[in-house]
Amino acid sequence: MFHKRMNRWRVPKGAELTEMDKKILYYQNKGCLVPTRKLIKTPEQIEGIRRSGVINTGVLDLVEENIHAGMSTAEIDKMVYDYTVSHGAIPAPLNYEGFPKSVCTSINEVVCHGIPSEDEILEEGDIINVDVSTILDGYYSDASRMFIIGKTTPEKEKLVRVAKECLQVGMEAAKPYCFVGDIGNAIEKHARKNGFSIVRDLCGHGVGLEFHEEPDVEHFGKKSTGMLLVPGMVFTIEPMVNMGTWEVFIDEEDGWTVVTEDELPSAQWEHTFLMTDNGLEILTH
Ligand code: MF3
Ligand code: CO
């Protein structure tokens, strides 16, 4: 039985070691999980992802301006599709592993991967996550926001706020040459402190050249565990915060919709980030 081999940081024969090589080799020799070279984006790739992110943000801004009680989630899907293609891009979810629509719309107890539908009408008091992902010239970006439809309960308002804070707290925990676990640790602490739980079955991810790349970015865990994060890496942080239990199930009928086990509400915010020498830069602002 073979284990999945740990990534190996390779330096071309004869090449002089850069400061980055030295740091990565130091952690590799300690047995830490390190990135492969492919996960460190070139300046050209970063520019491509940045341009993709601009369109992705445009989509979310458009949704923010137009979302209202009485509209269907299919109308959101149409807005996303039309804006994206008219800007020369492709909605990444469309046909991704069989996903049938251009965007994920996840209302109340739906954690993520909700499928837009004509029959699903937004109601006063709903909280909804709209998760938008864009491919431009082969470069991927990925971000989501929560929207409160009209006025909701103080509990749901708090959930939406704390989920946003969790993203912020995770972002601040991410320093160059930290580990994925440092981010997750900070996020889970913040959720717990507020009486909420963190979904464990879904995580953030590397992104840019593909929709989902290494590393897995878990939103819980121990400091100094998981992959080493070095400048040039691009990944999402997207904590899913539940009012009740962290446990979830997948709707059997559609095979996609992720729902909280206790059917209490869930909230999520997501950005695509670039690790720089000074910490994270948001590419989906
Ligand atoms: N946008 C989701 C993420 O943040 C992935 C959605 S996959 C889809 O990773 F197929 F449901 F679109
Ligand atoms: Co994502």
Side-chain angles (χ1 to χ4, degrees):
M1 177 77 168
F2 288 99
H3 287 283
K4 183 183 180 292
R5 201 187 278 268
M6 289 270 274
N7 288 340
R8 200 96 204 127
W9 185 255
R10 294 176 193 287
V11 182
K13 268 220 168 63
E16 207 168 306
L17 292 186
T18 63
E19 285 309 304
M20 180 184 283
D21 288 328
K22 287 180 197 165
K23 284 189 183 147
I24 294 175
L25 290 170
Y26 166 78
Y27 285 111
Q28 174 164 285
N29 290 337
K30 291 213 302 182
C32 299
L33 178 59
V34 297
T36 55
R37 228 168 242 287
K38 203 189 163 204
L39 297 180
I40 319 274
K41 269 53 179 181
T42 66
E44 187 192 336
Q45 290 169 342
I46 290 166
E47 272 324 295
I49 301 166
R50 203 187 288 287
R51 276 186 277 112
S52 173
V54 170
I55 294 176
N56 205 73
T57 301
V59 175
L60 279 165
D61 288 345
L62 179 72
V63 172
E64 186 152 357
E65 279 161 33
N66 290 286
I67 199 163
H68 61 268
M71 89 191 296
S72 74
T73 48
E75 289 175 65
I76 299 175
D77 181 67
K78 183 173 174 4
M79 253 186 324
V80 170
Y81 179 83
D82 290 347
Y83 183 99
T84 305
V85 299
S86 75
H87 286 76
I90 303 165
L94 191 56
N95 303 319
Y96 174 78
E97 292 186 4
F99 192 81
K101 297 286 180 180
S102 297
V103 64
C104 298
T105 49
S106 305
I107 301 175
N108 298 330
E109 72 280 4
V110 176
V111 174
C112 61
H113 303 172
I115 304 174
S117 158
E118 312 245 293
D119 305 328
E120 190 176 49
I121 308 296
L122 294 183
E123 288 174 18
E124 174 89 11
D126 281 345
I127 58 170
I128 178 173
N129 174 274
V130 179
D131 191 343
V132 177
S133 318
T134 299
I135 317 171
L136 180 70
D137 301 332
Y139 295 110
Y140 289 76
S141 57
D142 188 5
S144 77
R145 296 181 197 164
M146 293 299 297
F147 302 106
I148 297 175
I149 306 305
K151 202 168 158 40
T152 193
T153 64
E155 293 80 9
K156 281 161 111 178
E157 243 172 48
K158 179 182 171 192
L159 182 70
V160 170
R161 172 175 59 79
V162 170
K164 190 173 192 178
E165 289 167 2
C166 280
L167 178 56
Q168 182 68 29
V169 158
M171 177 182 170
E172 283 161 12
K175 303 283 177 245
Y177 300 96
C178 80
F179 292 85
V180 163
D182 299 329
I183 299 175
N185 188 266
I187 289 174
E188 190 179 26
K189 272 192 188 139
H190 189 72
R192 276 172 181 265
K193 199 172 76 187
N194 284 282
F196 299 141
S197 68
I198 291 286
V199 172
R200 302 175 85 86
D201 298 354
L202 297 119
C203 53
H205 50 92
V207 65
L209 309 186
E210 293 166 48
F211 199 168
H212 296 110
E213 306 175 4
E214 283 188 279
D216 283 348
V217 180
E218 289 179 335
H219 306 106
F220 60 93
K222 290 201 178 80
K223 289 183 184 171
S224 304
T225 63
M227 192 179 286
L228 180 73
L229 296 172
V230 317
M233 290 175 77
V234 177
F235 55 88
T236 74
I237 306 177
E238 48 182 300
M240 285 145 269
V241 182
N242 291 358
M243 199 178 278
T245 179
W246 58 268
E247 285 160 296
V248 300
F249 68 93
I250 297 177
D251 183 302
E252 272 175 32
E253 249 160 67
D254 67 26
W256 279 103
T257 309
V258 179
V259 187
T260 58
E261 188 69 53
D262 55 13
E263 299 192 19
L264 287 175
S266 181
Q268 174 182 32
W269 294 78
E270 172 180 25
H271 273 307
T272 295
F273 297 98
L274 168 68
M275 180 59 82
T276 75
D277 291 322
N278 312 306
L280 292 187
E281 181 192 337
I282 302 175
L283 298 182
T284 45
H285 237 350

